[in-house]
């Protein structure tokens, strides 16, 4: 009679993929990782896995892969507008929610009248300031409009042999979002929720509160699924995956070595957005580690491999994905870092992959001639001004943003150098004064006595 372990080896292994969030820059990081894994692991086809799980930005990529869009195609989408494809433009993710601002602003007169009446009725119960807090209902629930994101996905999933319908996929695609009014996780793509278009499910899963408005689906409002879990890898394990490959871009930055990179040592100098980002990353990452540790007793015999950036890599934190150069750099970093990670953990990972019918190729990892653009039709990468097509405005915007980014970096460097110069002069003056005072009180030492 066969043991469970023998049965696992004699039947085809089920491999799942779990992709976390991280915004547009997180999606670009995941693209670089996927490309590195795609070329280094024989037997792994990212477009033919039995189960995909995605949350937030990871939901977008999981849906792409499930729809047959290859890692190489995703790489090209970062820098090149392919014929027959709708172009990937990061600005799509940051379209101001003008309609939300107008709708909320239109409520101000009525809310102000209600606040005044409420204070007049109960002058001793509420101060004027407390009554005016009623106006907080006029604040927009999202800064950016995510409807353009849904429209973009709807277009690309209705091209060629793709589909915007979970039920027409040959694999299992699960996109996780959070029901805003109950705080419960919802799995779009499972029976009972597979009628929701894939593009709408991705829109809901990536609706981070504060940045995007909640998405209305079947009378319920949904927000970013990362609020509950970072990866939701357990969904793939519950679906019966023997091995789950996980990619997580959300890692807190470590500024201890920031001075070596020319970055500010304290995130407070960069303002509220950086502080909030670091807080969010720290909470999410800590919770993910606790969750992964709990998987072993729950899913005995099933395995999980995690890939994520190093915490002291500032390219994943201080990046402007509007800049063509920085989008390209993040993708290249993710690709190269993953290759180094695979080589460093080769003796650990190779046996794991082998148990599931995969082969990790050392020769590919040790080939220094390879780069992200090798084998994807973009040797050396593409630059916007060399891309053919009718998107001249986008190309010029990319170039302008690159130039602006360089100019801002230079001005910041000059300002910091100018600020540091007076302090250095003061230190030199104080040092000379101390040396002069000590010379009058004790004899000068021989140079050979100085250590």
């Amino acid at each position: 009679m066969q043991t469970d372990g023998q049965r696992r080896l004699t039947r085809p292994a089920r491999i799942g993929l779990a992709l976390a969030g991280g915004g547009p820059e997180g999606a670009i990081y995941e693209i670089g990782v996927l490309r590195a894994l795609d070329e280094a692991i024989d037997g792994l086809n990212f477009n033919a896995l039995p189960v995909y799980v995605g949350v937030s930005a990871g939901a977008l990529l999981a849906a792409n892969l499930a729809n047959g869009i290859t890692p190489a195609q995703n790489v090209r989408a970062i820098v090149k507008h392919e014929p027959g494809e709708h172009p990937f433009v990061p600005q799509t993710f940051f379209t101001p929610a003008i309609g939300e601002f107008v709708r909320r602003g239109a409520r101000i007169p009525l809310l102000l009248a209600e606040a005044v009446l409420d204070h007049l009725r109960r002058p001793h119960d509420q101060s004027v300031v407390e009554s005016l807090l009623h106006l907080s209902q006029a604040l927009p629930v999202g800064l950016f409009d995510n409807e353009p994101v849904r429209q973009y996905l709807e277009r690309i999933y209705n091209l060629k042999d793709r589909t915007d319908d979970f039920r027409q996929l040959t694999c299992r695609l699960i996109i996780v979002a959070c029901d805003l009014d109950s705080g419960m996780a919802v799995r779009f793509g499972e029976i009972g929720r597979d009628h929701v278009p894939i593009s709408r499910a991705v829109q809901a899963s990536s609706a981070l509160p504060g940045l995007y408005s909640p998405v209305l689906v079947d009378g319920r409002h949904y927000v970013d699924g990362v609020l509950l879990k970072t990866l939701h890898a357990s969904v793939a394990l519950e679906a019966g995956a023997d091995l789950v490959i996980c990619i997580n871009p959300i890692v807190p930055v470590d500024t201890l070595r920031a001075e070596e990179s020319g970055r500010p040592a304290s995130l407070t100098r960069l303002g509220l957005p950086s502080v909030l980002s670091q807080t969010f990353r720290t909470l999410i990452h800590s919770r993910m580690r606790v969750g992964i540790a709990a998987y072993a007793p729950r899913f005995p015999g099933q395995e999980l491999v995690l890939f994520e950036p190093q915490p002291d890599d500032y390219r994943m934190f201080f990046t402007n994905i509007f800049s063509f150069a920085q989008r390209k750099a993040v993708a290249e970093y993710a690709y190269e870092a993953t290759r180094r990670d695979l080589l460093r953990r080769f003796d650990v990972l190779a046996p794991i992959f082998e148990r599931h019918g995969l082969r990790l190729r050392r020769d590919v990892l040790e080939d220094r001639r390879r780069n992200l653009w090798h084998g994807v039709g973009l040797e050396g990468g593409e630059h916007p001004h060399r891309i053919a097509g009718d998107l001249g405005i986008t190309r010029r915007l990319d170039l302008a943003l690159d130039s602006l980014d360089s100019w801002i970096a230079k001005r910041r460097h000059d300002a910091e150098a100018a600020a540091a110069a007076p302090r250095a002069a003061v230190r030199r003056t104080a040092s000379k004064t101390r040396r002069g005072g000590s010379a009058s009180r004790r004899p000068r030492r021989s140079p050979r006595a100085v250590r």
Side-chain angles (χ1 to χ4, degrees):
M1 182 175 179
Q2 290 183 320
T3 65
D4 289 341
Q6 289 172 327
R7 281 195 293 271
R8 286 182 63 245
L9 292 174
T10 55
R11 68 174 174 83
R14 288 175 55 83
I15 299 171
L17 179 68
L19 300 176
E25 66 272 23
I28 292 172
Y29 168 84
E30 291 179 332
I31 289 172
V33 175
L34 287 167
R35 177 56 188 163
L37 297 176
D38 186 43
E39 69 174 11
I41 304 176
D42 277 351
L44 179 62
N45 183 350
F46 278 116
N47 297 114
L49 301 181
V51 57
Y52 300 84
V53 179
V55 58
S56 194
L60 184 152
L61 285 178
N64 284 359
L65 294 170
N67 254 304
I69 301 175
T70 67
Q73 284 178 288
N74 279 295
V75 170
R76 290 197 296 271
I78 299 174
V79 296
K80 182 178 181 180
H81 308 304
E82 294 190 62
E85 294 281 0
H86 289 283
F88 169 77
V89 181
Q91 290 85 340
T92 301
F93 291 87
F94 297 104
T95 303
I98 297 176
E100 172 71 8
F101 280 87
V102 171
R103 286 191 297 272
R104 295 282 173 167
R107 298 180 60 191
I108 291 178
L110 177 60
L111 292 172
L112 181 60
E114 290 177 352
V116 172
L117 287 174
D118 189 49
H119 176 68
L120 293 176
R121 288 172 183 157
R122 298 182 296 169
H124 302 293
D125 294 338
Q126 288 186 331
S127 65
V128 174
V129 174
E130 289 173 331
S131 297
L132 290 177
L133 288 177
H134 198 61
L135 291 174
S136 63
Q137 297 179 39
L139 293 174
V141 294
L143 298 176
F144 303 107
D145 185 3
N146 51 15
E147 181 60 19
V149 177
R150 188 201 64 77
Q151 293 172 353
Y152 164 76
L153 294 176
E154 182 182 42
R155 287 193 295 268
I156 66 172
Y157 295 156
N158 280 285
L159 290 173
K160 305 173 183 177
D161 296 325
R162 303 167 192 162
T163 179
D164 198 26
D165 191 332
F166 284 101
R167 296 165 295 189
Q168 294 182 13
L169 293 172
T170 58
C171 60
R172 187 173 182 183
L173 171 64
I174 306 297
I175 292 176
V176 184
C178 175
D179 186 315
L180 178 64
D181 295 310
S182 70
M184 302 295 291
V186 172
R187 302 176 181 180
F188 291 108
E190 292 194 337
I191 296 175
R193 298 190 185 276
D194 54 358
H195 65 284
V196 177
I198 296 173
S199 56
R200 180 73 71 186
V202 173
Q203 179 191 21
S205 179
S206 57
L208 185 64
L211 290 182
Y212 298 109
S213 299
V215 176
L216 185 65
V217 180
D218 294 339
R220 305 287 295 182
H221 286 95
Y222 296 94
V223 293
D224 200 321
V226 80
L227 297 181
L228 297 170
K229 288 183 181 179
T230 309
L231 273 169
H232 293 272
S234 59
V235 176
L237 294 170
E238 290 170 0
D242 300 317
L243 170 67
V244 180
I245 297 173
C246 304
I247 305 177
N248 169 48
I250 308 177
V251 174
V253 68
D254 180 0
T255 62
L256 292 179
R257 284 181 276 180
E259 293 182 357
E260 299 175 8
S261 69
R263 297 290 184 181
S266 174
L267 294 176
T268 57
R269 294 181 59 184
L270 299 178
L272 180 62
S274 291
V275 173
L276 291 177
S277 176
Q278 177 75 336
T279 302
F280 175 76
R281 288 168 176 263
T282 302
L283 290 172
I284 290 295
H285 193 256
S286 175
R287 187 177 59 189
M288 184 198 70
R289 288 292 182 179
V290 172
I292 289 178
Y295 289 159
R298 288 181 57 197
F299 305 100
Q302 295 168 273
E303 298 182 282
L304 182 151
V305 177
L306 174 67
F307 297 93
E308 57 185 15
Q310 295 298 310
D312 60 348
D313 191 280
Y314 307 108
R315 281 166 291 187
M316 283 303 301
F317 194 87
F318 305 103
T319 186
N320 170 21
I321 52 88
F322 288 104
S323 164
F324 169 82
Q326 291 198 34
R327 294 202 304 269
K328 184 169 175 282
V330 168
E332 288 174 337
Y333 155 73
Y335 172 84
E336 295 295 344
T338 303
R339 285 171 53 84
R340 290 193 299 270
D341 187 27
L342 287 169
L343 197 55
R344 177 178 59 84
R345 295 195 285 165
F346 188 90
D347 292 338
V348 174
L349 295 179
I352 294 176
F353 290 135
E354 186 175 356
R355 285 196 291 271
H356 302 281
L358 308 176
R359 182 169 72 95
L360 183 59
R361 296 183 55 182
R362 185 185 289 274
D363 61 318
V364 172
L365 296 174
E366 291 179 342
D367 185 356
R368 297 185 178 181
R369 296 170 298 176
R370 290 179 178 268
N371 58 49
L372 175 63
W373 318 109
H374 181 86
V376 301
L378 296 174
E379 291 297 333
E382 288 279 354
H383 199 277
H385 73 266
R386 293 202 297 269
I387 299 173
D390 58 354
L391 297 170
I393 294 176
T394 300
R395 294 199 298 273
R396 290 195 294 272
L397 178 60
D398 274 334
L399 289 170
L401 288 168
D402 282 347
S403 300
L404 179 61
D405 190 57
S406 300
W407 180 82
I408 291 174
K410 184 177 183 304
R411 291 297 300 268
R412 183 186 295 117
H413 179 271
D414 292 344
E416 291 179 352
R423 293 195 295 270
V426 170
R427 287 196 296 270
R428 287 196 297 272
T429 302
S431 177
K432 290 178 181 179
T433 303
R434 288 194 297 272
R435 287 200 301 271
S438 61
S440 63
R441 292 191 295 272
R442 63 178 183 235
R444 187 186 302 270
R445 291 184 177 181
S446 167
R448 284 176 291 185
V450 176
R451 298 182 182 274

